Amino acid sequence: MRVIIPVRRNSTRIPHKALKLFEGKEMILHVLGMLLNMNYITDITITTDDEEIIKLCEGCRKTRIVRRPPELCLDEVPLFDVVEHALEIPGMFGGAATIIVIYPCACLLTHDDLMRGIYLSKFNPEFAVMSMRKNNALRSYVMSPEG
């Protein structure tokens, strides 16, 4: 499985939030650490316009950097367009059937959370944790304790 992590330098509410420390480490490094320890994650692509993120993350195993053009770094740009840009780079995803988008500040996301989300989206698409559409409409579901 392949993962895309979209990181924008000038985030609306908290600029450089992926570089903010959480328990003494940059938030994006918490996310990368979790993903790097998952055997079934084959590629991690970080799409960014932030040179600090590039310096911090380049050289991490399984990780590639996609430099995002300025026109894809505006507040009004849908996530779909950012993902589509990363997918258009030749050889980047090689026809992957499953691509997961994880935000760089999801430092509380656990392996179990991710596995449950993958399971739900693969075997029960009506219970997708979040889906994305070209028109930027997001649909999310709240799971009951019964599943």
Side-chain angles (χ1 to χ4, degrees):
M1 289 189 181
R2 295 177 170 153
V3 174
I4 295 177
I5 302 175
V7 185
R8 194 167 55 114
R9 179 178 176 84
N10 290 318
S11 175
T12 304
R13 292 178 300 275
I14 306 171
H16 304 286
K17 69 182 168 189
L19 293 171
K20 300 294 182 200
L21 298 182
F22 178 77
E23 294 187 353
K25 187 163 72 172
E26 290 88 348
M27 285 197 269
I28 192 168
L29 292 182
H30 285 278
V31 173
L32 271 176
M34 178 197 60
L35 295 171
L36 290 170
N37 287 318
M38 298 174 147
N39 293 331
Y40 58 88
I41 301 294
T42 57
D43 283 279
I44 302 165
T45 297
I46 298 171
T47 171
T48 188
D49 63 328
D50 192 327
E51 290 299 322
E52 289 180 70
I53 292 290
I54 291 169
K55 287 177 188 166
L56 183 66
C57 299
E58 67 185 353
C60 288
R61 63 186 172 84
K62 295 194 224 181
T63 303
R64 299 184 230 192
I65 305 292
V66 171
R67 291 179 184 269
R68 196 181 325 169
E71 63 272 14
L72 290 178
C73 297
L74 305 171
D75 287 342
E76 61 273 7
V77 173
L79 178 60
F80 186 94
D81 293 353
V82 173
V83 171
E84 188 174 56
H85 173 259
L87 294 175
E88 287 175 352
I89 295 176
M92 186 56 72
F93 288 100
T98 303
I99 297 170
I100 303 165
V101 176
I102 297 179
Y103 290 102
C105 298
C107 51
L108 297 177
L109 183 71
T110 67
H111 174 271
D112 290 344
D113 294 333
L114 188 54
M115 291 304 298
R116 180 141 171 86
I118 291 167
Y119 174 83
L120 288 172
S121 66
K122 190 168 190 146
F123 298 108
N124 301 294
E126 69 277 10
F127 292 114
V129 176
M130 185 174 288
S131 63
M132 179 177 57
R133 300 171 196 260
K134 181 69 175 165
N135 67 2
N136 203 30
L138 295 177
R139 176 183 62 201
S140 61
Y141 298 92
V142 177
M143 298 300 296
S144 69
E146 296 78 45

